[in-house]
Amino acid sequence: MHKSLKIIGISILILILCRGWIYRNLIHYSQVGKRETITITNKNLQKEIQKQVENKLLDIHQIADIATTITNTTLHFSTKKASRNPNLLYTSRKANCIGYAAMHNGVANYLIQQNKLSNRIKTQHLIGQISIFGIDLHDFFDHPFFRDHDFTTIKDFETGETIFIDPSVSDYLRINRVTSDTK
C-alpha cells in the first residue's frame, strides 16, 4: 500500500512538472481568423505596464512574459459575455478567452510600440481551433461559446522566432506557451 501511494505521488508530481510539455505535445492550435489589436489608452494600465518594464532591455521573451503577467494578474475568467477591450477589462477584470487574448495582445503591442520595436517584432490576436491528436475539440460542443478559441502570437522577424500563447490557459494551468502551425 505504501509503495502504491509513493508511485501515485511521484506520477502526479511528474504530471504537474511536465504539464507544459504534455500540453504542447497533445494540444494543437490552428488559426482560422484574426482580430484587430485594440490600442492601450487606459492611463492606469499604461502605468502598470511601465512598472513592469523599468530598465529592461526587451526581447520577444520579455514582451511575452510581461504581457502574460499583467494579463494573468488583472483578469479573472468568466463564461458570461464580457468586453474584449483591454482598456475596459483593466477595470472590470472579467473576461473570456477573447478578452484574455485582447489584453495580452494589447499589452504586448504597447510594449513593442513604446520600445520602438515595431520594425522587428509583431504581435497578433488570433482566432483558432484546438485539436487533440488531430481531432477538433470544437466539434464536441454545440454552445456558441465553444465555437473557437482565441490565442496570441509574437514573432521576431530578426531571429525568426515565434511564440504562441493562450493567455486563458496560462492563467489557469500556468502553461505559458502553446503549439501552432500558424505562420
Side-chain angles (χ1 to χ4, degrees), residues 2 44 157:
H2 183 67
N44 292 327
F157 293 105

mmCIF file of all heavy atoms in Angstrom, residues 2 44 157:
data_model
loop_
_atom_site.group_PDB
_atom_site.id
_atom_site.type_symbol
_atom_site.label_atom_id
_atom_site.label_comp_id
_atom_site.label_asym_id
_atom_site.label_seq_id
_atom_site.Cartn_x
_atom_site.Cartn_y
_atom_site.Cartn_z
ATOM 1 N N HIS A 2 1.912 1.267 0.836
ATOM 2 C CA HIS A 2 2.803 2.414 0.936
ATOM 3 C C HIS A 2 3.522 2.658 -0.401
ATOM 4 O O HIS A 2 3.683 3.809 -0.831
ATOM 5 C CB HIS A 2 3.800 2.206 2.078
ATOM 6 C CG HIS A 2 4.710 3.364 2.298
ATOM 7 N ND1 HIS A 2 4.250 4.587 2.753
ATOM 8 C CD2 HIS A 2 6.050 3.493 2.117
ATOM 9 C CE1 HIS A 2 5.283 5.416 2.825
ATOM 10 N NE2 HIS A 2 6.384 4.771 2.462
ATOM 11 N N ASN A 44 -4.061 54.050 -16.300
ATOM 12 C CA ASN A 44 -3.657 53.161 -15.201
ATOM 13 C C ASN A 44 -3.004 51.889 -15.730
ATOM 14 O O ASN A 44 -2.032 51.404 -15.161
ATOM 15 C CB ASN A 44 -4.851 52.832 -14.304
ATOM 16 C CG ASN A 44 -5.332 54.039 -13.543
ATOM 17 O OD1 ASN A 44 -4.543 54.905 -13.166
ATOM 18 N ND2 ASN A 44 -6.633 54.130 -13.327
ATOM 19 N N PHE A 157 11.061 39.060 -36.299
ATOM 20 C CA PHE A 157 11.488 38.891 -37.689
ATOM 21 C C PHE A 157 13.002 38.815 -37.833
ATOM 22 O O PHE A 157 13.495 38.251 -38.801
ATOM 23 C CB PHE A 157 10.922 40.017 -38.565
ATOM 24 C CG PHE A 157 9.427 39.951 -38.679
ATOM 25 C CD1 PHE A 157 8.634 40.836 -37.980
ATOM 26 C CD2 PHE A 157 8.818 38.994 -39.466
ATOM 27 C CE1 PHE A 157 7.258 40.769 -38.074
ATOM 28 C CE2 PHE A 157 7.445 38.914 -39.562
ATOM 29 C CZ PHE A 157 6.650 39.805 -38.863
#
